[in-house]
Amino acid sequence: MKRVTAVVIGAGHAGLAMSHHLARHGIDHVVLERGEVANAWRHERWESLHLLTPNWQCRLPGQSYAGPEPEGFMSMPELIAFLDDYARGLSAPLHTATEVLTLRQVEGGYRIVTNRGEWRCHAAIIATGACQLPVVPAMAAALPPWIMSLTPHAYRRPEQLPEGGVLVIGASATGVQLADELQRSGRSVTLAVGQHLRLPRRYRGRDIQWWLEHAGLLDQRFDEVEDLARARRQPSPQLLGSATPEDLDLNALSERGVRLVGRLAGLVGTRLQFSGSLAVHCTAADLKLARLLDNLDAWAIAHGWHEALPAPERPAPTRVPPRPCLGLDLAAGEIKTVLWATGFRPDFRWLQVPVFDARGRLRHEGGVVAPGLYAMGLPFMRRRKSGAIHGADDDAAELSAHLVAQLALRQRSPSILTN
Amino acid sequence: MHTTTQQIDNGVNVTALLGAREALAQAPQAARFTWRAHCDWIRGTHSQIAVEDFHGLGETQRHRSRFTYQADHPEVFAAEDQGPTPVEYVLVGLAACLTAGVAAVAQHRGIQLRSVKAMVEGDMDIQGILGMDPEVRNGFDDIRVTFEIDADASRADIEALVAQSQKRSAVYDLLTNPTHVKVELK
């Protein structure tokens, strides 16, 4: 059994950022990684994916984007290279191909069992990612056997799917991007739309992320928002990172021929039922977007940007078919594939510590899970940006400082970490 | 199958209904009906709803009188309980629709009914409407209807009545299939 002060689990952007800050504090630690650096970005994403945040925003502690295209969006190979490069600059030992099997609380800290030996540590940082397991409704199991059913983790490229219609369930970031790519591949796509978040790629000549960052929205803290649970489950916005910036809202998809239907409500025999609530979900997203743009315009006026930027504009309301389709019979043969873009959740099956709520969700206060146990990279963990690559720096800085204080206390009163 | 329809009487004028079906086959436009309810907020969760006019057979129709209903929530919801809850009206609608269907189908099939009782229950988790848990739906997640039917027929025939009444029920269809619902501000 090896001993170390802290163990970081996961060598994605969040774990690497934490390693940087632990090193800065002189805390001896190791980074354990089940695969290789940026594992999920390498093995669990589709090929055409580009980040939804512009390159200038891809910052990690001590490293900014220095390439030629600050307004561009990194492809997966570019992001992997970016993270590989960052990992090479870190000083802590990085153990790849080391999968954590269990983490248990023991006197004075934690015991971590991996496929390559055991570790004892005072502190552990869970940086294994928020999107490890696709969330798929139970009715997926009842689809007729001739339908190909897959999640975004299994999806790589359109050619992998049979010819014929595709039903994409879910209109958040993943759903709209895959609907777009599949429709362009010549398959006719039906998109089931529930609650969603509409965002323009650019507004008044600037990337929407520039607005959100400069207006301070991304720095909004978890202890400042009115309804944190709601903020944490906000769907990912309908954005695309493409060479030429373009909107990927429902209007853009409709124009390309994607058929919009309501939220998938049920499957009776071979018949899919779609909710009659498509219009209200689109209206709600339009209203929410209008409120956001009003706030951004007010911020621009208050902070001297108004005159310098093009005049405010408002996107056209979402066009909803007057009579959206309420039901589709899979026996009719039109749909060959169902793609479940219905969200993701973290995989904490290895975490054998009583830190979960009744629903199995990790309980934490801004990333502080238990004495000496921290999380990183979860949605709105400490700030609105916590789930993003550029969100890792501030969170890791604060949580590593919290750990330093805990370790100092522990030296004075060794029992503090034992229960 | 009985053929002695003259001798049984469930109070359903099947001849008229079959006649309507033939007439509407010639003029399907007349088959488009629009039902209406007019709602006035009183106070709190208490509203008064009136049903009087509707559209059908190509023109405005009227009930024989204006029916009014109170809807509210019970005291456990910190309300004044001036009437049933809206979801109970849904159960009312389902019970009445299926029961009317049983009577009509029985008449058509020559089955004399002596009594028909239905108990309708709908389950819901109010964490949904209270906005406590996004994974909990607002509406019923289960509805059970239990019929007790005393009729001049075998159990198999009565089961067939109950099945056919679901097959032709507007409210059953509404609860089991999605519907376009458009809510606007005038």
Side-chain angles (χ1 to χ4, degrees), chain A residues 275-347:
Chain A
S275 164
S277 62
L278 176 63
V280 73
H281 284 306
C282 294
T283 304
D286 287 353
L287 289 169
K288 197 165 184 184
L289 173 59
R291 278 200 303 274
L292 172 70
L293 298 181
D294 286 348
N295 289 338
L296 295 179
D297 288 337
W299 169 84
I301 291 169
H303 292 80
W305 283 100
H306 181 71
E307 299 300 327
L309 295 172
E313 69 222 51
R314 288 292 174 270
T318 301
R319 289 183 299 278
V320 178
R323 313 279 308 159
C325 165
L326 294 176
L328 264 181
D329 194 346
L330 292 170
E334 180 199 337
I335 302 288
K336 304 288 189 205
T337 307
V338 175
L339 184 47
W340 302 93
T342 34
F344 302 94
R345 62 188 169 88
D347 182 0

Coordinates of all heavy atoms in Angstrom, one line a residue, chain A residues 275-347:
Chain A
S275 N -45.6 14.3 -26.7 CA -46.4 15.3 -26.0 C -46.9 16.4 -26.9 O -46.2 16.8 -27.8 CB -45.6 15.8 -24.8 OG -46.2 17.0 -24.3
G276 N -48.1 16.9 -26.5 CA -48.6 18.0 -27.3 C -48.1 19.4 -26.8 O -48.6 20.4 -27.0
S277 N -47.0 19.3 -26.0 CA -46.5 20.5 -25.4 C -45.3 21.2 -26.1 O -44.6 22.0 -25.5 CB -46.0 20.2 -23.9 OG -45.0 19.2 -24.0
L278 N -45.1 20.8 -27.4 CA -43.9 21.4 -28.1 C -44.0 22.9 -28.1 O -43.0 23.6 -27.8 CB -43.9 20.9 -29.6 CG -42.9 21.5 -30.5 CD1 -41.5 21.1 -30.0 CD2 -43.1 21.0 -31.9
A279 N -45.2 23.5 -28.4 CA -45.3 24.9 -28.5 C -44.9 25.6 -27.2 O -44.2 26.6 -27.2 CB -46.7 25.3 -28.9
V280 N -45.3 25.1 -26.1 CA -45.1 25.8 -24.8 C -43.6 25.7 -24.5 O -43.0 26.7 -23.9 CB -46.0 25.3 -23.7 CG1 -45.6 24.0 -23.1 CG2 -45.9 26.3 -22.5
H281 N -42.9 24.6 -24.8 CA -41.5 24.5 -24.5 C -40.7 25.5 -25.4 O -39.8 26.1 -24.9 CB -41.0 23.1 -24.8 CG -41.4 22.2 -23.7 ND1 -41.1 22.4 -22.3 CD2 -42.0 21.0 -23.7 CE1 -41.5 21.4 -21.6 NE2 -42.1 20.5 -22.4
C282 N -41.2 25.7 -26.6 CA -40.5 26.6 -27.5 C -40.7 28.1 -27.1 O -39.8 28.9 -27.0 CB -40.9 26.4 -28.9 SG -40.4 24.8 -29.6
T283 N -42.0 28.4 -26.7 CA -42.3 29.7 -26.2 C -41.5 30.0 -24.9 O -40.9 31.1 -24.8 CB -43.8 29.8 -25.9 OG1 -44.5 29.4 -27.0 CG2 -44.2 31.2 -25.4
A284 N -41.4 29.1 -24.0 CA -40.6 29.3 -22.8 C -39.2 29.6 -23.1 O -38.6 30.5 -22.5 CB -40.8 28.1 -21.9
A285 N -38.6 28.8 -24.0 CA -37.2 29.0 -24.4 C -37.0 30.4 -25.0 O -36.0 31.1 -24.8 CB -36.7 27.9 -25.3
D286 N -37.9 30.8 -25.9 CA -37.9 32.1 -26.5 C -37.9 33.2 -25.5 O -37.2 34.2 -25.5 CB -39.0 32.3 -27.5 CG -38.8 31.5 -28.8 OD1 -37.7 30.9 -28.9 OD2 -39.7 31.5 -29.6
L287 N -38.9 33.1 -24.5 CA -39.0 34.1 -23.5 C -37.8 34.2 -22.6 O -37.3 35.3 -22.3 CB -40.2 33.8 -22.6 CG -41.6 34.0 -23.2 CD1 -42.7 33.4 -22.3 CD2 -41.9 35.4 -23.5
K288 N -37.2 33.0 -22.3 CA -36.0 33.0 -21.5 C -34.8 33.7 -22.2 O -34.0 34.4 -21.6 CB -35.7 31.5 -21.1 CG -34.7 31.4 -20.0 CD -34.7 30.0 -19.4 CE -33.8 30.0 -18.2 NZ -33.6 28.8 -17.6
L289 N -34.7 33.4 -23.5 CA -33.7 34.0 -24.3 C -33.8 35.5 -24.3 O -32.9 36.3 -24.2 CB -33.6 33.4 -25.7 CG -32.7 34.0 -26.7 CD1 -31.2 34.0 -26.2 CD2 -32.8 33.4 -28.1
A290 N -35.1 35.9 -24.5 CA -35.3 37.4 -24.6 C -34.9 38.1 -23.3 O -34.3 39.1 -23.3 CB -36.8 37.7 -24.9
R291 N -35.2 37.4 -22.2 CA -34.9 38.0 -20.9 C -33.4 38.1 -20.7 O -32.8 39.1 -20.3 CB -35.4 37.1 -19.7 CG -36.9 37.4 -19.4 CD -37.2 36.9 -18.0 NE -36.9 35.5 -17.8 CZ -37.8 34.5 -18.1 NH1 -39.0 34.8 -18.6 NH2 -37.5 33.2 -17.9
L292 N -32.7 37.0 -21.2 CA -31.2 37.0 -21.1 C -30.6 38.2 -21.9 O -29.8 38.9 -21.5 CB -30.6 35.7 -21.6 CG -29.1 35.6 -21.7 CD1 -28.4 35.7 -20.3 CD2 -28.7 34.4 -22.5
L293 N -31.1 38.3 -23.2 CA -30.6 39.4 -24.1 C -30.9 40.7 -23.5 O -30.1 41.7 -23.6 CB -31.1 39.2 -25.5 CG -30.7 37.8 -26.2 CD1 -31.3 37.8 -27.6 CD2 -29.2 37.6 -26.2
D294 N -32.1 40.9 -22.9 CA -32.4 42.2 -22.2 C -31.4 42.5 -21.2 O -30.9 43.6 -21.1 CB -33.8 42.1 -21.6 CG -35.0 42.2 -22.6 OD1 -34.7 42.5 -23.8 OD2 -36.1 41.9 -22.2
N295 N -31.1 41.5 -20.4 CA -30.1 41.7 -19.3 C -28.7 42.0 -19.8 O -28.0 42.9 -19.3 CB -30.0 40.4 -18.4 CG -31.3 40.3 -17.5 OD1 -32.0 41.3 -17.3 ND2 -31.5 39.1 -17.1
L296 N -28.3 41.3 -20.9 CA -27.0 41.6 -21.5 C -27.0 43.0 -22.1 O -26.0 43.7 -22.0 CB -26.7 40.5 -22.6 CG -26.6 39.1 -22.1 CD1 -26.3 38.1 -23.2 CD2 -25.5 39.0 -21.0
D297 N -28.1 43.4 -22.7 CA -28.1 44.8 -23.3 C -28.0 45.8 -22.1 O -27.3 46.8 -22.3 CB -29.4 45.0 -24.0 CG -29.4 44.3 -25.4 OD1 -28.4 44.0 -25.9 OD2 -30.5 44.0 -25.9
A298 N -28.7 45.6 -21.0 CA -28.7 46.5 -19.9 C -27.2 46.5 -19.3 O -26.7 47.6 -19.0 CB -29.6 46.0 -18.8
W299 N -26.6 45.4 -19.3 CA -25.2 45.3 -18.8 C -24.3 46.1 -19.8 O -23.4 46.9 -19.3 CB -24.7 43.9 -18.7 CG -23.3 43.8 -18.5 CD1 -22.6 43.8 -17.3 CD2 -22.2 43.6 -19.5 NE1 -21.2 43.7 -17.5 CE2 -21.0 43.6 -18.8 CE3 -22.3 43.5 -20.9 CZ2 -19.8 43.5 -19.5 CZ3 -21.1 43.4 -21.6 CH2 -19.8 43.4 -20.9
A300 N -24.5 46.0 -21.1 CA -23.7 46.7 -22.1 C -23.8 48.2 -21.9 O -22.9 49.0 -22.0 CB -24.1 46.3 -23.5
I301 N -25.1 48.7 -21.6 CA -25.3 50.1 -21.4 C -24.6 50.6 -20.1 O -23.8 51.5 -20.1 CB -26.8 50.4 -21.3 CG1 -27.4 50.2 -22.7 CG2 -27.0 51.8 -20.8 CD1 -29.0 50.2 -22.7
A302 N -24.7 49.8 -19.1 CA -24.1 50.1 -17.8 C -22.6 50.1 -17.8 O -22.0 50.8 -17.0 CB -24.7 49.2 -16.7
H303 N -22.0 49.3 -18.6 CA -20.6 49.1 -18.6 C -19.9 49.7 -19.8 O -18.7 49.3 -20.1 CB -20.2 47.7 -18.4 CG -20.6 47.2 -17.0 ND1 -21.9 46.8 -16.7 CD2 -19.9 47.0 -15.9 CE1 -21.9 46.4 -15.5 NE2 -20.8 46.6 -14.9
G304 N -20.6 50.6 -20.5 CA -19.9 51.3 -21.6 C -19.7 50.6 -22.9 O -18.9 51.0 -23.7
W305 N -20.3 49.4 -23.1 CA -20.1 48.7 -24.3 C -21.2 49.0 -25.3 O -21.0 48.7 -26.5 CB -20.2 47.2 -24.0 CG -19.0 46.6 -23.3 CD1 -18.8 46.4 -22.0 CD2 -17.8 46.2 -24.0 NE1 -17.5 45.9 -21.8 CE2 -16.9 45.8 -23.0 CE3 -17.3 46.3 -25.3 CZ2 -15.6 45.3 -23.3 CZ3 -16.1 45.8 -25.6 CH2 -15.2 45.4 -24.6
H306 N -22.3 49.6 -24.9 CA -23.4 49.7 -25.8 C -23.1 50.4 -27.1 O -23.4 50.0 -28.2 CB -24.6 50.5 -25.1 CG -25.8 50.6 -25.9 ND1 -26.6 49.6 -26.3 CD2 -26.3 51.7 -26.6 CE1 -27.6 50.0 -27.0 NE2 -27.4 51.3 -27.2
E307 N -22.4 51.6 -27.0 CA -22.1 52.4 -28.2 C -21.1 51.6 -29.1 O -21.1 51.8 -30.3 CB -21.5 53.7 -27.8 CG -22.4 54.6 -27.0 CD -23.7 54.9 -27.7 OE1 -23.7 55.1 -29.0 OE2 -24.8 55.0 -27.1
A308 N -20.2 50.9 -28.5 CA -19.1 50.2 -29.3 C -19.6 49.0 -30.0 O -18.9 48.5 -30.9 CB -18.0 49.8 -28.3
L309 N -20.8 48.5 -29.7 CA -21.2 47.2 -30.3 C -22.4 47.5 -31.3 O -23.0 48.5 -31.2 CB -21.7 46.3 -29.3 CG -20.6 45.8 -28.3 CD1 -21.3 45.0 -27.1 CD2 -19.6 44.9 -29.0
P310 N -22.6 46.6 -32.3 CA -23.8 46.7 -33.2 C -25.0 46.8 -32.3 O -25.1 46.4 -31.2 CB -23.7 45.5 -34.0 CG -22.3 45.0 -33.9 CD -21.8 45.4 -32.6
A311 N -26.1 47.3 -32.9 CA -27.4 47.6 -32.2 C -27.9 46.2 -31.7 O -27.7 45.2 -32.4 CB -28.3 48.3 -33.1
P312 N -28.7 46.3 -30.7 CA -29.4 45.0 -30.2 C -30.3 44.5 -31.3 O -30.9 45.2 -32.0 CB -30.2 45.5 -29.0 CG -29.6 46.8 -28.5 CD -29.0 47.4 -29.8
E313 N -30.4 43.2 -31.3 CA -31.3 42.5 -32.2 C -32.0 41.4 -31.4 O -31.5 41.0 -30.4 CB -30.5 41.9 -33.4 CG -29.6 40.8 -32.9 CD -28.2 40.8 -33.5 OE1 -27.5 41.8 -33.5 OE2 -27.8 39.7 -34.0
R314 N -33.1 40.9 -32.0 CA -33.7 39.8 -31.4 C -34.0 38.7 -32.4 O -34.4 38.9 -33.5 CB -35.1 40.2 -30.8 CG -35.0 41.1 -29.5 CD -34.5 40.3 -28.4 NE -34.2 41.2 -27.2 CZ -33.1 41.8 -26.9 NH1 -32.1 41.7 -27.8 NH2 -32.9 42.5 -25.9
P315 N -33.6 37.4 -32.0 CA -33.8 36.3 -33.0 C -35.3 36.1 -33.2 O -36.1 36.4 -32.4 CB -33.2 35.1 -32.3 CG -33.1 35.5 -30.8 CD -33.1 37.0 -30.7
A316 N -35.6 35.6 -34.4 CA -37.0 35.3 -34.7 C -37.6 34.3 -33.7 O -36.8 33.4 -33.3 CB -37.1 34.8 -36.1
P317 N -38.8 34.4 -33.4 CA -39.4 33.4 -32.5 C -39.3 32.0 -33.1 O -39.2 31.8 -34.3 CB -40.9 33.8 -32.4 CG -41.0 35.1 -33.0 CD -39.8 35.4 -33.8
T318 N -39.2 31.0 -32.3 CA -39.1 29.6 -32.8 C -40.4 29.3 -33.5 O -41.5 29.5 -33.0 CB -38.9 28.6 -31.6 OG1 -37.7 29.0 -30.9 CG2 -38.8 27.2 -32.1
R319 N -40.2 28.8 -34.8 CA -41.4 28.4 -35.6 C -41.7 26.9 -35.2 O -40.9 26.0 -35.3 CB -41.1 28.5 -37.0 CG -41.0 29.9 -37.5 CD -40.7 30.0 -39.0 NE -39.5 29.4 -39.4 CZ -38.3 30.0 -39.3 NH1 -38.2 31.2 -38.8 NH2 -37.2 29.3 -39.7
V320 N -42.9 26.7 -34.8 CA -43.4 25.4 -34.4 C -44.4 25.0 -35.4 O -45.3 25.8 -35.8 CB -44.0 25.5 -33.0 CG1 -44.6 24.1 -32.6 CG2 -43.0 26.0 -32.0
P321 N -44.4 23.7 -35.9 CA -45.4 23.3 -36.9 C -46.8 23.5 -36.2 O -46.9 23.2 -35.0 CB -45.1 21.8 -37.1 CG -44.0 21.5 -36.2 CD -43.4 22.7 -35.6
P322 N -47.8 23.9 -37.0 CA -49.1 24.1 -36.4 C -49.7 22.9 -35.7 O -50.4 22.9 -34.7 CB -50.0 24.6 -37.5 CG -49.2 24.4 -38.8 CD -47.7 24.2 -38.4
R323 N -49.4 21.7 -36.3 CA -50.0 20.5 -35.8 C -48.8 19.5 -35.7 O -48.7 18.6 -36.6 CB -51.1 19.9 -36.7 CG -52.1 20.8 -37.2 CD -53.2 21.1 -36.2 NE -53.8 19.9 -35.6 CZ -54.5 19.9 -34.5 NH1 -54.6 21.0 -33.7 NH2 -55.1 18.8 -34.0
P324 N -48.0 19.6 -34.7 CA -46.9 18.7 -34.6 C -47.4 17.2 -34.5 O -48.4 17.0 -34.0 CB -46.1 19.1 -33.4 CG -46.7 20.4 -33.0 CD -48.0 20.5 -33.5
C325 N -46.6 16.3 -35.0 CA -46.9 14.9 -35.0 C -47.0 14.4 -33.6 O -46.1 14.7 -32.8 CB -45.8 14.2 -35.8 SG -45.8 12.4 -35.6
L326 N -48.0 13.7 -33.2 CA -48.2 13.3 -31.8 C -47.9 11.8 -31.7 O -47.8 11.3 -30.5 CB -49.7 13.5 -31.4 CG -50.1 15.0 -31.2 CD1 -51.6 15.0 -30.8 CD2 -49.3 15.7 -30.2
G327 N -47.8 11.1 -32.8 CA -47.5 9.7 -32.7 C -46.8 9.1 -33.9 O -47.1 9.6 -35.0
L328 N -45.9 8.2 -33.7 CA -45.3 7.6 -34.9 C -45.3 6.1 -34.6 O -44.9 5.6 -33.6 CB -43.8 8.0 -34.9 CG -43.4 9.2 -35.8 CD1 -41.9 9.4 -35.6 CD2 -43.7 8.9 -37.2
D329 N -45.7 5.3 -35.7 CA -45.7 3.9 -35.5 C -44.3 3.3 -36.1 O -44.1 3.5 -37.2 CB -46.8 3.3 -36.2 CG -47.0 1.8 -35.8 OD1 -46.1 1.2 -35.2 OD2 -48.1 1.3 -36.2
L330 N -43.5 2.8 -35.2 CA -42.2 2.2 -35.6 C -42.4 1.1 -36.6 O -41.5 0.8 -37.4 CB -41.4 1.8 -34.4 CG -41.0 3.0 -33.5 CD1 -40.4 2.4 -32.2 CD2 -39.9 3.8 -34.2
A331 N -43.6 0.5 -36.6 CA -43.8 -0.6 -37.5 C -43.9 -0.1 -38.9 O -43.8 -0.9 -39.9 CB -45.1 -1.4 -37.1
A332 N -44.2 1.2 -39.1 CA -44.3 1.7 -40.5 C -43.0 1.8 -41.2 O -43.0 1.9 -42.4 CB -44.9 3.1 -40.4
G333 N -41.9 1.6 -40.5 CA -40.6 1.5 -41.1 C -39.9 2.8 -41.5 O -38.7 2.8 -41.9
E334 N -40.5 3.9 -41.2 CA -39.8 5.2 -41.5 C -38.6 5.4 -40.6 O -37.6 5.9 -41.1 CB -40.9 6.3 -41.3 CG -40.4 7.7 -41.5 CD -41.2 8.8 -40.9 OE1 -42.4 8.5 -40.6 OE2 -40.7 9.9 -40.7
I335 N -38.8 5.1 -39.3 CA -37.7 5.3 -38.4 C -36.8 4.0 -38.3 O -37.4 3.0 -38.0 CB -38.2 5.7 -37.0 CG1 -39.1 7.0 -37.0 CG2 -37.1 5.8 -35.9 CD1 -38.3 8.2 -37.2
K336 N -35.5 4.2 -38.5 CA -34.7 3.0 -38.3 C -33.8 3.0 -37.1 O -33.3 2.0 -36.6 CB -33.7 2.9 -39.5 CG -34.4 2.9 -40.9 CD -35.1 1.6 -41.2 CE -35.6 1.5 -42.6 NZ -36.7 0.6 -42.7
T337 N -33.6 4.3 -36.6 CA -32.7 4.4 -35.5 C -33.3 5.4 -34.4 O -33.9 6.4 -34.8 CB -31.3 5.1 -35.9 OG1 -30.8 4.3 -37.0 CG2 -30.3 5.1 -34.8
V338 N -33.1 5.1 -33.2 CA -33.5 6.0 -32.1 C -32.2 6.4 -31.4 O -31.4 5.5 -30.9 CB -34.5 5.4 -31.1 CG1 -34.8 6.4 -30.0 CG2 -35.8 5.2 -31.9
L339 N -31.9 7.7 -31.3 CA -30.7 8.2 -30.6 C -31.1 8.9 -29.4 O -31.8 9.9 -29.4 CB -29.9 9.0 -31.6 CG -28.6 9.6 -31.2 CD1 -27.6 8.6 -30.6 CD2 -27.9 10.2 -32.5
W340 N -30.6 8.5 -28.2 CA -31.1 9.0 -26.9 C -30.2 10.1 -26.5 O -29.2 9.8 -25.8 CB -31.2 7.9 -25.9 CG -32.1 6.8 -26.2 CD1 -31.7 5.6 -26.9 CD2 -33.5 6.7 -26.0 NE1 -32.8 4.9 -27.1 CE2 -33.9 5.5 -26.6 CE3 -34.4 7.6 -25.4 CZ2 -35.3 5.1 -26.5 CZ3 -35.7 7.2 -25.4 CH2 -36.2 6.0 -26.0
A341 N -30.5 11.3 -26.8 CA -29.7 12.5 -26.3 C -30.4 13.0 -25.1 O -30.8 14.2 -25.0 CB -29.5 13.5 -27.4
T342 N -30.6 12.1 -24.1 CA -31.5 12.5 -23.0 C -30.7 12.7 -21.7 O -31.2 12.6 -20.6 CB -32.4 11.3 -22.7 OG1 -31.8 10.0 -23.1 CG2 -33.6 11.4 -23.6
G343 N -29.4 13.1 -21.9 CA -28.6 13.5 -20.7 C -27.6 12.5 -20.2 O -27.5 11.4 -20.7
F344 N -26.8 13.0 -19.3 CA -25.7 12.1 -18.7 C -25.7 12.3 -17.2 O -26.3 13.2 -16.7 CB -24.4 12.6 -19.3 CG -24.3 12.6 -20.8 CD1 -24.6 13.7 -21.5 CD2 -23.9 11.4 -21.4 CE1 -24.5 13.7 -22.9 CE2 -23.9 11.3 -22.8 CZ -24.1 12.5 -23.5
R345 N -25.1 11.3 -16.6 CA -24.8 11.5 -15.2 C -23.5 10.9 -14.8 O -22.9 10.2 -15.6 CB -25.9 10.8 -14.4 CG -26.0 9.3 -14.6 CD -27.3 8.7 -13.9 NE -27.5 7.4 -14.3 CZ -27.0 6.3 -13.7 NH1 -26.2 6.5 -12.6 NH2 -27.2 5.1 -14.1
P346 N -22.9 11.3 -13.7 CA -21.6 10.8 -13.3 C -21.7 9.3 -12.9 O -22.8 8.9 -12.5 CB -21.2 11.7 -12.1 CG -22.3 12.6 -11.8 CD -23.5 12.2 -12.7
D347 N -20.6 8.6 -12.9 CA -20.6 7.2 -12.4 C -19.8 7.2 -11.1 O -18.6 7.3 -11.1 CB -19.9 6.4 -13.5 CG -19.9 4.9 -13.1 OD1 -20.4 4.6 -12.0 OD2 -19.4 4.1 -13.9

